[in-house]
Amino acid sequence: NLNLSDMETCYKLFRTDIIQSIELKENRFGFEPEVTAKIARVPNVRIYEVGISYYGRTYEEGKKIGWKDGFRAIYSILKYNVFDKTTFKSEKKNNNTISSKTSKKWMFLFFLIVFGYFSYLSIFNNSKVQGTWMSEFKSDKAGYYSYLPATFISSFSRVGLPKNIWEQTDGGIGFKNDKVITKYTYGVALLILPFFLILHVFLLIFGYDASGFSQPYHILVNITGAFYLALGVITLFKFLIYYLKKSTAFFTVLILIFSTNLYYYTAMDSLLSHVYSFAMFSVFLYYFKTYLENGNKTKTLIISFFAFALLVLIRPTSIFIGIIIPLLDINSFKLLKERILHFVNYKRLLLLFGSIFIVFIPQMIYWKFVFGNFIQYSYGDEGFTYLANPKIIETWFAPLNGLFVYNPVYLLIVFALIYSLFKLKTNRYIGILSFIWVAYFSASWWMFYFGGSFGMRNYVEYNAIFALPFGFFIQNVFENKNKYLKIFTTFFIIYSAYFSINLGNNFGRCFVGQLWDWEMYQNNL
């Protein structure tokens, strides 16, 4: 239903978000009928013609169109109006950004493999430490989990919980005026909640121990950690294939799982917050990118906003990502201005702050109930003591949980972040700025060595951010003709995975030496 006088003539102007979302294939004058056909199919978009003055050129003056282009135009009219009605990039068959039924089956299988394997690992590893200070419901882990038994079993009262719960959890669950008190936010508990309710109701119906701390609940948190790893892996993979080959994206994800301490914090300490934060980072990245790519669908924006609210709830320092990620795919001030104007919109701002409010309101109610204030810094005297003197060298190289000392693959990741600064056309700064941010705030914390850690655990969730520049580097290495570079990179990655997995499997869950105690570290090796 278009009446056009001449689609071949002069300039065409488009809304940026629309033309960037359309899959274009033609290189010469077939572009004209192709783009006209595809724009005509976009809902709620109308094409306008305006008058022009036209002065034709001769071939000597540079005229390019020829008789072959006439046939190509007829071919394109038939192809894009009758045979190939693909319009948007997300509809392209066999494209990295869309899943056919076969691809979805492979994704589901990949999810099940990751979920099943790490469920087994976590249950097996934690069964060996039951009843010790290393078991699940101890210290920080008990604090994250405490919201669930407090809500559904004891109504946040001491009554209903085991009498010696303070001793059982090594101080992870305490009381103030007989009210359950924890310094940790409820984000991890919220993500565990659906699984907890299913198990809890099942145990109540069949008369098993439904105290919230019996053996089935231990197994539950092992499984939920594996579930969120699998969720994070799948969404991160789907994010990466917007930019990388599927094979590169797949191996990038595998390297990050097995060569960094993401492995340890799923296979051993799965109730700490890091694998949950990693999942929310990945979900946020994927759905925000999908929102930008696929016609700005509100559904994907809402999911990304909720993921962002959750990752800030779990670890408030992650708010930095809310500043960095909106710069995704920005490579000019013009695009930056357009992005800012797009989001400085009352509907989108309402969605953002509404998502944050919905997620945070239960936490604020809890703080009011326990502390008397809707906003409360619950960590007491703990804080960022070293802001003016961050312990960067110690957090990177000290045998007491140093980043590179326990996970040497981060050396390669940092190199990839620097490499991307010079080689990536877009998104070159997101990775390196995130690394600088996490390095600074980790090194500024009062306990900068994070006792009871395996390496610097604060970096685990940021693997989702590092994945793109790291994957870009890996892809370039294996497209390079230099076989020695390929061999060295392959060897280093395999060695890093072997090192990380074996040291993690034999780690005593806590480095008991001093900050620069190389002898104790050598014993661990």
Side-chain angles (χ1 to χ4, degrees), residues 29-296:
F29 292 92
F31 163 80
E32 312 282 356
E34 179 195 11
V35 77
T36 304
K38 291 181 175 180
I39 286 290
R41 289 196 289 266
V42 178
N44 303 317
V45 167
R46 183 169 295 177
I47 297 175
Y48 291 92
E49 279 192 310
V50 295
I52 62 167
S53 295
Y54 175 65
Y55 302 94
R57 296 181 299 172
T58 65
Y59 286 103
E60 289 74 20
E61 291 173 322
K63 186 180 181 74
K64 296 293 191 294
I65 196 167
W67 64 270
K68 292 181 180 178
D69 295 302
F71 283 106
R72 185 71 190 187
I74 295 170
Y75 167 81
S76 297
I77 289 170
L78 291 172
K79 178 179 179 181
Y80 299 112
N81 283 283
V82 180
F83 299 107
D84 181 0
K85 293 194 175 182
T86 297
T87 302
F88 298 109
K89 291 179 181 178
S90 59
E91 296 170 342
K92 184 181 176 185
K93 292 184 174 91
N94 299 322
N95 188 292
N96 277 350
T97 60
I98 194 70
S99 295
S100 65
K101 289 184 179 180
T102 303
S103 297
K104 288 180 180 178
K105 289 178 181 177
W106 280 111
M107 284 289 93
F108 184 63
L109 180 61
F110 186 29
F111 178 92
L112 287 180
I113 290 171
V114 174
F115 174 52
Y117 179 66
F118 277 91
S119 291
Y120 163 76
L121 275 182
S122 186
I123 293 170
F124 174 76
N125 288 323
N126 283 289
S127 66
K128 296 188 295 184
V129 296
Q130 288 299 308
T132 72
W133 65 271
M134 294 180 281
S135 58
E136 287 89 339
F137 302 134
K138 297 289 184 180
S139 192
D140 295 13
K141 294 180 285 186
Y144 288 116
Y145 174 77
S146 63
Y147 288 93
L148 295 171
T151 301
F152 296 100
I153 297 172
S154 73
S155 299
F156 283 92
S157 170
R158 181 191 293 269
V159 180
L161 294 178
K163 292 182 180 179
N164 59 342
I165 192 67
W166 167 265
E167 292 78 13
Q168 282 187 21
T169 61
D170 287 343
I173 299 179
F175 301 94
K176 180 180 181 181
N177 300 325
D178 284 337
K179 300 174 183 177
V180 174
I181 185 171
T182 176
K183 65 183 180 182
Y184 307 99
T185 51
Y186 85 105
V188 172
L190 180 62
L191 292 174
I192 298 174
L193 175 61
F195 306 90
F196 176 88
L197 288 177
I198 293 170
L199 174 65
H200 190 63
V201 170
F202 177 87
L203 295 179
L204 287 172
I205 291 173
F206 291 96
Y208 290 100
D209 183 352
S211 64
F213 296 94
S214 59
Q215 184 62 24
Y217 296 95
H218 287 73
I219 296 174
L220 169 75
V221 296
N222 299 152
I223 292 173
T224 53
F227 174 86
Y228 283 105
L229 174 70
L231 175 64
V233 163
I234 293 298
T235 49
L236 181 59
F237 172 77
K238 292 169 76 174
F239 167 74
L240 290 176
I241 60 177
Y242 275 113
Y243 303 94
L244 307 171
K245 294 178 180 178
K246 284 185 178 180
S247 55
T248 306
F250 179 72
F251 283 107
T252 299
V253 168
L254 287 185
I255 293 166
L256 292 174
I257 294 173
F258 291 104
S259 297
T260 71
N261 43 358
L262 178 57
Y263 173 88
Y264 179 88
Y265 283 103
T266 310
M268 279 79 172
D269 271 345
S270 58
L271 189 48
L272 281 171
S273 66
H274 305 290
V275 69
Y276 299 92
S277 291
F278 169 77
M280 292 303 102
F281 268 60
S282 300
V283 169
F284 178 44
L285 280 170
Y286 170 66
Y287 279 98
F288 188 80
K289 173 63 176 176
T290 303
Y291 171 77
L292 298 177
E293 286 287 319
N294 294 346
N296 301 331

Side-chain angles (χ1 to χ4, degrees), residues 407-507:
N407 300 110
V409 77
Y410 279 111
L411 292 167
L412 193 62
I413 290 174
V414 170
F415 182 83
L417 296 177
I418 297 170
Y419 176 84
S420 68
L421 285 175
F422 301 97
K423 298 295 183 179
L424 261 178
K425 293 181 180 179
T426 56
N427 303 319
R428 64 179 68 183
Y429 301 112
I430 290 176
I432 194 69
L433 288 176
S434 297
F435 186 87
I436 292 170
W437 170 255
V438 67
Y440 176 70
F441 84 71
S442 298
S444 300
W445 187 242
W446 73 279
M447 188 185 285
F448 57 84
Y449 49 87
F450 289 87
S453 298
F454 178 76
M456 277 288 112
R457 54 189 171 93
N458 306 71
Y459 288 77
V460 171
E461 44 264 49
Y462 286 83
N463 285 327
I465 308 292
F466 305 150
L468 178 56
F470 183 56
F472 172 76
F473 168 75
I474 295 296
Q475 185 163 287
N476 281 16
V477 165
F478 288 97
E479 288 177 350
N480 194 293
K481 294 181 180 179
N482 189 329
K483 65 178 181 180
Y484 297 106
L485 178 62
K486 296 177 185 178
I487 292 170
F488 172 79
T489 305
T490 302
F491 172 80
F492 188 80
I493 288 170
I494 293 172
Y495 166 76
S496 296
Y498 176 83
F499 182 97
S500 177
I501 292 170
N502 279 278
L503 184 57
N505 287 340
N506 293 281
F507 190 64

